[in-house]
């Protein structure tokens, strides 16, 4: 189900150990530290492999995440806002990643621009609680979704290239 480059990328993302969500205040701080370490490693690996494709930051509590992701198609960079909240039942429940500006533009999306991860990603996440974290959600959730959906949306003319200085 997973190709070799994805397996290699996934193997280099540190697994998490703390089973804690935002409600467990002290343990959440520990989990959040693991999340950041895992994300930093994943981003660093991507940059080394010239596969840099997203930026993320969070609010102070680590419960709301936002940033940018991009996809290169025919040498053009298509950039999108990305956002998600950490569910109260995290890490048992995976975050629902949203690309709000694509809301309603594809059948593989829920209201609010939340990408569809039900069939493939969520069962994988469930088997790997609490080892998977935000970096894994990006690598195994958003990255494959972008790779399938964005070229299709571009070819259909639903997503159009915007120059850097356009709004």
């Amino acid at each position: 189900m997973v190709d070799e480059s994805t397996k290699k990328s996934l193997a280099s993302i540190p697994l998490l150990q703390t089973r804690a969500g935002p409600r467990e205040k002290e343990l959440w701080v520990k989990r959040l530290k693991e999340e950041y370490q895992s994300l930093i490693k994943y981003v660093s690996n991507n940059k080394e492999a010239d596969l840099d494709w997203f930026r993320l930051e969070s609010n102070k509590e680590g419960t709301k995440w936002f940033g940018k992701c991009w996809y290169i198609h025919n040498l053009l960079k298509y950039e999108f806002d990305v956002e998600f909240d950490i569910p109260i039942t995290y890490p048992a429940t995976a975050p629902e990643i949203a690309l709000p500006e694509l809301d309603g533009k594809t059948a593989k999306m829920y209201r609010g621009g939340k990408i569809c991860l039900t069939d493939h990603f969520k069962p994988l996440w469930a088997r790997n609680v609490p080892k998977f974290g935000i970096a894994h959600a990006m690598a195994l959730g958003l990255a494959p979704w972008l790779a399938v959906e964005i070229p299709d949306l571009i070819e259909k003319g639903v997503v159009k290239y915007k120059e850097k200085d356009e709004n």
Side-chain angles (χ1 to χ4, degrees), residues 12 19-20 26 39 42 49 54 61 83-84 87 89-90 97-98 139 144:
S12 66
R19 184 185 290 258
E26 288 82 37
L39 265 169
Y42 180 48
F54 73 92
E61 298 79 23
E83 63 187 38
F84 57 91
T89 54
Y90 189 83
I97 301 169

Side-chain angles (χ1 to χ4, degrees), residues 68 79 160-167:
K68 297 278 186 189
E79 192 171 273
K160 299 195 182 336
Y161 178 72
K162 290 181 238 161
E163 291 292 331
K164 203 61 163 159
D165 58 341
E166 279 185 37
N167 286 328

Side-chain angles (χ1 to χ4, degrees), residues 16-159:
L16 292 84
Q17 304 194 348
T18 305
R19 184 185 290 258
R23 285 190 272 191
E24 294 103 351
K25 296 293 181 203
E26 288 82 37
L27 282 177
W28 178 241
V29 172
K30 184 177 179 189
R31 171 71 185 208
L32 205 48
K33 183 177 178 182
E34 292 175 20
E35 293 282 2
Y36 273 111
Q37 289 170 338
S38 183
L39 265 169
I40 289 166
K41 181 67 173 160
Y42 180 48
V43 168
S44 171
N45 292 344
N46 285 345
K47 285 183 178 186
E48 287 174 17
D50 198 25
L51 297 171
D52 192 30
W53 64 276
F54 73 92
R55 292 281 176 280
L56 275 181
E57 58 185 286
S58 75
N59 65 356
K60 186 178 155 207
E61 298 79 23
T63 56
K64 294 188 181 298
W65 292 77
F66 47 91
K68 297 278 186 189
C69 65
W70 52 90
Y71 187 83
I72 308 291
H73 183 73
N74 292 336
L75 302 178
L76 298 175
K77 182 179 179 181
Y78 295 83
E79 192 171 273
F80 308 96
D81 290 332
V82 61
E83 63 187 38
F84 57 91
D85 292 336
I86 298 296
I88 293 296
T89 54
Y90 189 83
T93 305
E96 292 183 315
I97 301 169
L99 304 174
E101 65 204 87
L102 297 180
D103 188 16
K105 295 187 177 183
T106 172
K108 294 182 181 162
M109 185 169 270
Y110 303 112
R111 187 175 302 176
K114 293 178 180 172
I115 66 172
C116 177
L117 297 173
T118 310
D119 293 342
H120 306 290
F121 177 69
K122 287 193 178 176
L124 183 61
W125 180 279
R127 285 192 305 270
N128 287 284
V129 171
K131 297 178 278 188
F132 277 8
I134 295 165
H136 299 88
M138 297 300 280
L140 296 171
L142 184 57
W145 190 93
L146 288 171
V148 169
E149 288 300 304
I150 298 305
D152 184 55
L153 291 171
I154 293 167
E155 297 304 318
K156 290 177 179 173
V158 175
V159 169

